[in-house]
Amino acid sequence: MTKRHQLPKSLAFLCLFAVLGIDLVHPQVVAQTSIRTSFGKSVAFTCNDSEASIKAKNGPKISIGAKTIYIGYQQVTSLNKDPRIIRFDNGVKKWCRSDYETTIDDGTGYGLLWDGNNVLYGIFSSTGSQSGNDFRRFAKKGWLSSYGSGGGAKVAVIARINPSNGSVLSATFVTAKKPNDGKSNSLIITNLSWNGTTLKVLADSWSNPRRADKNSMTCAGSSPYKYTAIFTSDLTKANSASAVNCN
């Protein structure tokens, strides 16, 4: 008696697909976007510095694959700093921006969020509005379009940046507001997170943090207060804002 050997079912189906001319489509594995942040003490560099010299200063930077973005400042005079941001691909400078703020405002860059593709935010400091080119021209539609009244207190600027060339797409100032005279007070951003739609901002705010409607919160205890705000991706609106010991 001749024994007939049966093919395994999986192999039998493959043979059937081949006979019928049906192509098997293999599901593609989609790489997850890597969102990274970096915050720290701002360091000095120029657009002419090598990547090795900038990297050695251990300032805020994000590296994804062979691409790295550094943020900091250049000491342009003995009394004035201007922000700098630079990108290297495979060790070769792709772009560097020295034109964001060129006034006597003592500005620096100290934080980044980047997904390695199109989502890039930079965090900068400002100590007051001065005549000339600064972040106000990028923040005309921002949640806060300027530093506000007063000067000297260090506040934050968030800028959404085109990773291809460093151009600022949109920006907003983020400040505290003194309830007694309405002048701007210090706020330092400590971290960012991105969910694909909105930008979450964590900060240390001095008296007093702002509500989403821009008015001063009422706070108990001493500052700084731990502040959280959720912004739309274009930084035109704060969806919510809260702070520990404040309402």
Side-chain angles (χ1 to χ4, degrees):
M1 179 182 293
T2 303
K3 292 184 179 180
R4 303 177 67 179
H5 297 281
Q6 290 186 335
L7 292 172
K9 288 185 178 180
S10 58
L11 183 57
F13 280 121
L14 288 173
C15 293
L16 178 60
F17 289 146
V19 170
L20 296 177
I22 298 173
D23 291 329
L24 291 176
V25 178
H26 297 282
Q28 293 182 347
V29 177
V30 179
Q32 294 293 317
T33 300
S34 177
I35 298 173
R36 300 183 186 178
T37 62
S38 179
F39 285 78
K41 183 179 179 181
S42 191
V43 298
F45 61 83
T46 76
C47 287
N48 294 321
D49 289 347
S50 67
E51 181 173 14
S53 67
I54 298 173
K55 182 178 180 180
K57 296 184 178 182
N58 294 317
K61 73 178 190 321
I62 293 177
S63 295
I64 298 179
K67 303 173 291 186
T68 304
I69 295 177
Y70 301 83
I71 195 168
Y73 69 91
Q74 182 173 344
Q75 191 77 46
V76 292
T77 72
S78 60
L79 299 175
N80 183 37
K81 304 180 184 75
D82 285 348
R84 296 289 183 266
I85 183 170
I86 191 168
R87 173 175 169 175
F88 291 90
D89 290 3
N90 292 303
V92 178
K93 182 173 69 176
K94 184 175 178 67
W95 51 258
C96 183
R97 300 306 294 246
S98 59
D99 57 345
Y100 292 168
E101 182 270 299
T102 57
T103 72
I104 59 172
D105 180 8
D106 202 31
T108 66
Y110 64 92
L112 292 165
L113 178 148
W114 191 28
D115 70 347
N117 293 307
N118 297 323
V119 179
L120 172 63
Y121 289 92
I123 303 299
F124 304 88
S125 64
S126 173
T127 59
S129 296
Q130 308 291 340
S131 60
N133 288 328
D134 62 15
F135 284 99
R136 285 173 294 181
R137 69 191 191 278
F138 307 124
K140 290 178 180 179
K141 296 182 180 180
W143 179 62
L144 294 178
S145 60
S146 71
Y147 177 96
S149 62
K154 185 177 291 187
V155 307
V157 179
I158 308 172
R160 183 158 187 174
I161 298 167
N162 183 340
S164 298
N165 56 21
S167 296
V168 174
L169 303 174
S170 57
T172 187
F173 287 77
V174 187
T175 76
K177 183 180 179 182
K178 296 179 181 179
N180 55 340
D181 59 11
K183 290 184 178 180
S184 295
N185 207 359
S186 298
L187 184 144
I188 298 172
I189 292 176
T190 57
N191 210 347
L192 300 173
S193 61
W194 171 254
N195 67 3
T197 305
T198 57
L199 184 71
K200 182 178 182 179
V201 175
L202 302 181
D204 288 335
S205 175
W206 276 253
S207 182
N208 279 13
R210 291 180 186 261
R211 301 186 183 100
D213 66 5
K214 306 176 189 177
N215 291 317
S216 298
M217 296 180 180
T218 301
C219 300
S222 59
S223 56
Y225 301 99
K226 296 299 181 182
Y227 182 66
T228 302
I230 308 294
F231 289 94
T232 55
S233 62
D234 60 2
L235 306 172
T236 59
K237 180 183 177 182
N239 292 335
S240 65
S242 61
V244 176
N245 295 327
C246 301
N247 55 52

